[in-house]
Amino acid sequence: GQNIDQPTEMTATEGAIVQINCTYQTSGFNGLFWYQQHAGEAPTFLSYNVLDGLEEKGRFSSFLSRSKGYSYLLLKELQMKDSASYLCAGTSGGSYIPTFGRGTSLIVHP
Amino acid sequence: EAQVTQNPRYLITVTGKKLTVTCSQNMNHEYMSWYRQDPGLGLRQIYYSMNVEVTDKGDVPEGYKVSRKEKRNFPLILESPSPNQTSLYFCASSKQTGNYGYTFGSGTRLTVV
């Protein structure tokens, strides 16, 4: 499986922009997922990147650099409800089964 | 409504008493998986299934069993639960592995005393 690394915790201000980084092993890499998980709830799918570049979905965007083993999730116009854990998950090898990072807890304050 | 249904949501049990956590999906998904989530450790895969009668171990399979006799159901069995299996468990499914995102169940919070 993958070796996923992401920061444990981040804080940001309502209305601001925040970037959550994720690094992974490039060997055998297929693609990278981002999920959002509110406390005590199930993770929900945000994005999947397989090609280099930025993909935008409303206030959320996800970026991938395959050569650098690096991805980030960009959240714009932060809202209080964006306070959650953000999980990065990479797939590699022939099975395409994702390995999850430990998650980044984002705290949005007024 | 497309969903993954897990039961029960909460369970407190005693060491050694066999239990089953059920998981059912109504999306005709081929791939199903069980995860446990512990503070500071993230989601760790227990078992997964690529299709009916095809199951395989994930990263932390010890102390767990699964079966996939029908496409929609993927129960998780703890034959002899121990306190170190106290955790939050999630079942997930996807159309296939690859670039299909998972749909997760609501979770089962298990406490073994």
Side-chain angles (χ1 to χ4, degrees):
Chain A
Q2 271 287 335
N3 189 13
I4 304 291
D5 194 27
Q6 54 182 130
T8 303
E9 188 173 293
M10 299 181 70
T11 59
T13 305
E14 192 175 16
I17 299 173
V18 70
Q19 178 176 310
I20 302 173
N21 297 326
C22 172
T23 59
Y24 60 87
Q25 293 174 297
T26 57
S27 175
F29 173 77
N30 297 320
L32 194 120
F33 293 93
W34 283 97
Y35 287 83
Q36 180 191 60
Q37 185 179 23
H38 285 101
E41 298 183 9
T44 55
F45 172 80
L46 291 176
S47 64
Y48 179 73
N49 293 69
V50 64
L51 300 176
D52 284 347
L54 185 70
E55 293 193 8
E56 299 184 61
K57 284 185 184 179
R59 293 190 300 113
F60 291 12
S61 303
S62 55
F63 171 84
L64 182 70
S65 169
R66 295 182 67 94
S67 62
K68 295 182 179 178
Y70 168 68
S71 172
Y72 66 74
L73 182 68
L74 191 70
L75 290 74
K76 302 177 184 176
E77 301 168 16
L78 279 172
Q79 301 175 10
M80 299 297 290
K81 68 178 182 179
D82 297 330
S83 292
S85 184
Y86 292 86
L87 312 179
C88 174
T91 66
S92 59
S95 68
Y96 289 84
I97 295 170
T99 299
F100 284 83
R102 298 184 180 189
T104 299
S105 177
L106 174 66
I107 300 168
V108 180
H109 55 83
Chain B
E1 180 189 353
Q3 60 185 357
V4 176
T5 303
Q6 274 181 248
N7 280 297
R9 287 293 307 274
Y10 301 92
L11 179 60
I12 301 174
T13 190
V14 296
T15 299
K17 185 177 181 181
K18 181 179 178 180
L19 67 92
T20 299
V21 184
T22 63
C23 174
S24 180
Q25 50 92 5
N26 62 358
M27 297 166 281
N28 201 36
H29 284 171
E30 290 187 358
Y31 180 82
M32 297 186 75
S33 182
W34 275 103
Y35 288 87
R36 61 177 290 173
Q37 188 173 39
D38 302 289
L41 296 179
L43 282 166
R44 293 181 293 166
Q45 191 176 50
I46 302 170
Y47 269 94
Y48 63 93
S49 169
M50 296 285 199
N51 214 324
V52 176
E53 301 291 2
V54 181
T55 63
D56 212 341
K57 296 177 181 179
D59 297 319
V60 288
E62 294 77 20
Y64 303 94
K65 286 175 58 177
V66 292
S67 67
R68 188 92 182 272
K69 296 177 182 176
E70 309 163 279
K71 200 169 189 178
R72 62 185 294 125
N73 295 323
F74 190 45
L76 179 70
I77 303 157
L78 285 73
E79 294 272 3
S80 182
S82 62
N84 65 10
Q85 292 178 298
T86 292
S87 186
L88 178 59
Y89 291 86
F90 287 104
C91 179
S93 74
S94 70
K95 187 175 180 180
Q96 296 172 353
T97 58
N99 63 343
Y100 297 97
Y102 282 1
T103 301
F104 282 84
S106 299
T108 297
R109 188 167 291 280
L110 172 66
T111 302
V112 183
V113 297

